[in-house]
């Protein structure tokens, strides 16, 4: 949508776009989450939210999950080959970041700051840039969109480190919330969310990427979105984060409608 100023790709691009969606969605995340579950088992066993996870209950063995990880990873790379060589590099990069996030000795999940950064880069920058690269060169990707995505994704991820604080602390996983505490995590999340909203309004005011027509609605909605985020993430839960994600959908849909026209 961003690359073509249209809701749908042209007919010649549809097959590659569908395969790219498959690779970026269930295949990439299936592989990354399988890797994460394998190495998060100690904290998951102490986490009430993960009590019915297949690996915790024994419904799926670690050996089987490793096989699934390898198979899904190969499927993701194979799908990426159909899309194009640059897309293959992107998929390999995401798989590498997933490995670095979960697997010792790097295990960036236990390195405060890096745990948030890795997820924010993958979701906020790499994924939209990969979609862009289906039809246009990646070096033409608009950096303001990547920065907005990075800030929003980081703001959405920070509270998740608080939801699993007790389990991570018990397992010895030093996440951002474990290292700095939930109050700092909340303040950081609010600051990131506010920065994303402010930069989006700046882009609209300058007419850079974000249509100028969205400036008025953004000025009205920004305080509402900021207050909603601040309240919902004060004591974050999965249900509250789902509502925050719905809030994020408001500026996203507004941008898309104005951008496509």
């Amino acid at each position: 949508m961003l690359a073509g100023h249209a809701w749908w790709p042209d007919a010649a691009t549809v097959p590659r776009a569908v395969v790219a969606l498959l690779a970026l969605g269930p295949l990439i995340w299936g592989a990354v989450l399988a890797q994460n579950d394998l190495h998060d088992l100690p904290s998951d066993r102490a986490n009430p939210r993960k009590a019915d996870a297949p690996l915790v209950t024994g419904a799926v063995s670690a050996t089987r999950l490793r096989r699934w990880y390898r198979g899904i990873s190969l499927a993701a790379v194979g799908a990426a080959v159909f899309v194009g060589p640059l897309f293959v590099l992107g998929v390999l990069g995401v798989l590498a970041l997933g490995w670095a996030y979960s697997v010792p000795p790097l295990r960036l999940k236990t390195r405060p700051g890096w745990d948030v950064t890795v997820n924010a880069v993958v979701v906020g920058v790499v994924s939209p840039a990969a979609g862009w690269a289906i039809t246009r060169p990646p070096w033409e990707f608009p950096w303001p969109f990547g920065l907005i995505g990075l800030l929003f994704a980081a703001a959405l991820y920070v509270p998740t480190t608080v939801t699993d604080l007790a389990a991570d602390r018990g397992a010895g996983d030093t996440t951002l919330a474990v290292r700095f505490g939930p109050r700092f995590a909340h303040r950081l999340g609010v600051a990131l969310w506010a920065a994303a909203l402010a930069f989006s309004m700046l882009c609209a005011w300058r007419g850079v990427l974000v249509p100028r027509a969205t400036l008025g609605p953004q000025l009205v909605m920004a305080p509402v979105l900021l207050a909603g985020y601040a309240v919902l993430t004060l004591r974050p839960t999965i249900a509250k984060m789902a509502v925050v994600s719905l809030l994020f959908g408001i500026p996203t849909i507004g941008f898309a409608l104005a951008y496509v026209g």
Side-chain angles (χ1 to χ4, degrees):
M1 184 275 289
L2 188 67
H5 280 270
W7 290 111
W8 305 103
D10 58 73
T13 308
V14 166
R16 293 171 61 237
V18 170
V19 174
L21 185 63
L22 177 67
L24 287 176
L27 294 179
I28 281 287
W29 284 106
V32 169
L33 293 175
Q35 184 82 279
N36 187 65
D37 280 1
L38 281 168
H39 296 277
D40 274 3
L41 187 56
S43 62
D44 286 351
R45 282 175 172 157
N47 190 342
R49 188 169 63 82
K50 301 289 186 71
D52 58 350
L55 194 61
V56 173
T57 63
V60 173
S61 67
T63 300
R64 178 180 293 181
L65 195 56
R66 288 189 185 93
R67 287 200 298 266
W68 286 358
Y69 167 74
R70 289 191 290 267
I72 296 171
S73 298
L74 288 173
V77 175
V81 169
F82 178 79
V83 180
L86 290 174
F87 199 82
V88 173
L89 291 177
V91 166
L92 290 173
V94 173
L95 290 174
L97 286 172
W99 177 87
Y101 177 80
S102 297
V103 182
L106 281 180
R107 192 157 167 74
L108 297 180
K109 177 180 178 175
T110 63
R111 300 176 187 270
W114 284 104
D115 52 347
V116 174
T117 301
V118 168
N119 284 277
V121 167
V122 170
V123 175
V125 181
V126 175
S127 292
W132 173 278
I134 296 171
T135 56
R136 294 179 64 175
W139 49 86
E140 294 180 0
F141 180 72
W143 69 266
F145 191 87
L147 180 55
I148 292 172
L150 180 71
L151 291 170
F152 271 126
L156 289 169
Y157 183 77
V158 167
T160 68
T161 67
V162 179
T163 60
D164 292 331
L165 174 60
D168 288 333
R169 180 182 287 147
D173 289 342
T174 312
T175 63
L176 183 138
V178 171
R179 174 64 179 82
F180 298 107
R183 179 177 296 182
F184 174 86
H186 180 254
R187 291 174 177 174
L188 177 61
V190 170
L192 290 166
W193 189 264
L197 293 171
F199 186 67
S200 179
M201 287 188 287
L202 176 63
C203 288
W205 177 59
R206 298 289 300 273
V208 176
L209 181 67
V210 182
R212 193 173 180 83
T214 67
L215 182 57
Q218 285 195 67
L219 288 171
V220 173
M221 287 302 301
V224 177
L225 294 170
L226 184 59
Y229 177 93
V231 170
L232 289 167
T233 59
L234 187 59
R235 292 180 178 82
T237 63
I238 296 302
K240 289 180 180 178
M241 290 311 300
V243 177
V244 171
S245 297
L246 290 176
L247 283 177
F248 175 64
I250 296 173
T252 303
I253 293 170
F255 165 78
L257 289 170
Y259 185 81
V260 174

